[in-house]
Amino acid sequence: MAERETTPPTTVWSRPERGARGPAPERSRYEITAAALALADAEGLAAVSMRALAQRLGTGPASLYRYVGSRDELLDLMADAVAGELDLSAAPSGDWLGDLVGLALQSKAAHARHPWLAELNDRRGEVLGPHAIDYLDHALAVLVPAPGTSRQKLEAIGLLGGLATLFARREPPASAEAPASAGDPPAQAAHLAAVAAEGRHPHLLAALMTAGPPPAAGPAERDALFERLLRRLLPAMLS
């Protein structure tokens, strides 16, 4: 039986930016993607539609389909554009753990700047566009001197991205500070201490008494906690 021919999946990057025929382009995918990023940052992912984007650009929705085949393709371009914000220019230093932590801090910051990205990845999975592939290759280059198999290294990079997203989700909004509530860390800590003091959770009480007061929860402290976790987890994954 003859082997069945397989056709590689089509992505927005596997096609030319515009068709060979027709009038000269008025815009570019870069310009359209940048406008979509600004819209998502300002109003959330649900606000990003071809119609709303066209209105933002001062054109008709039909004209955008000359550059982007669908909203899903637009979302793919947006996700990869955020990956392109990471600085991969530095050559690996040989300190694979330090270099990888640096990449993770960049990734966390990018997710915090674009909170909608986590929602997009939940719905569509992480998109491996050109910038994301550059990031993956760079991370693997960083891991060349590290122990572990190729599979372990890919899993470690995946964990890196997942933790960056998780910590970014816990970042407070960049807008004006909200009043304290039950969801704020100080209120949570006070509630936990009060519950533990009731005596029905002796192990929790002992842990809280040993741990002492909770640390400050500013940006530097959150980054420090993130780095500590990575420095504990990553070597264990690659051992």
Side-chain angles (χ1 to χ4, degrees):
M1 181 182 295
E3 293 185 3
R4 179 180 300 176
E5 294 184 1
T6 58
T7 303
T10 300
T11 70
V12 65
W13 298 284
S14 63
R15 301 192 313 273
E17 182 162 340
R18 62 177 296 273
R21 299 180 179 180
E26 300 174 355
R27 308 188 186 282
S28 66
R29 280 182 185 165
Y30 175 84
E31 180 183 2
I32 292 169
T33 304
L37 286 175
L39 180 59
D41 289 345
E43 302 182 33
L45 190 63
V48 179
S49 67
M50 301 300 274
R51 183 176 298 278
L53 182 58
Q55 185 176 11
R56 192 178 187 94
L57 290 168
T59 187
S63 68
L64 298 183
Y65 288 101
R66 294 170 53 198
Y67 309 91
V68 182
S70 65
R71 181 178 184 267
D72 283 346
E73 287 191 352
L74 176 64
L75 297 177
D76 290 348
L77 288 169
M78 291 166 61
D80 196 59
V82 176
E85 295 178 5
L86 275 61
D87 182 5
L88 308 180
S89 60
S93 68
D95 175 12
W96 65 267
L97 184 54
D99 288 350
L100 212 56
V101 167
L103 284 177
L105 287 168
Q106 282 199 68
S107 179
K108 182 172 79 70
H111 278 80
R113 287 193 301 271
H114 308 288
W116 49 266
L117 182 59
E119 178 188 349
L120 178 58
N121 289 342
D122 286 346
R123 289 169 48 187
R124 294 179 52 76
E126 293 193 23
V127 176
L128 290 182
H131 289 118
I133 292 172
D134 288 344
Y135 167 83
L136 180 58
D137 188 74
H138 182 81
L140 287 169
V142 163
L143 285 171
V144 165
T149 65
S150 295
R151 173 56 57 188
Q152 287 175 310
K153 291 178 180 181
L154 288 169
E155 290 172 348
I157 295 169
L159 173 69
L160 206 72
L163 286 176
T165 303
L166 177 63
F167 268 71
R169 276 176 158 159
R170 299 182 66 84
E171 292 284 337
S175 57
E177 294 184 4
S181 69
D184 292 327
Q188 289 178 345
H191 173 67
L192 194 61
V195 170
E198 294 174 356
R200 293 184 293 109
H201 304 86
H203 300 290
L204 175 60
L205 178 61
L208 291 176
M209 292 181 65
T210 303
E221 289 78 16
R222 288 191 294 270
D223 282 352
L225 174 59
F226 182 57
E227 181 171 346
R228 287 199 303 274
L229 288 177
L230 291 176
R231 288 185 176 276
R232 292 172 187 167
L233 289 172
L234 291 171
M237 289 190 69
L238 296 172
S239 62

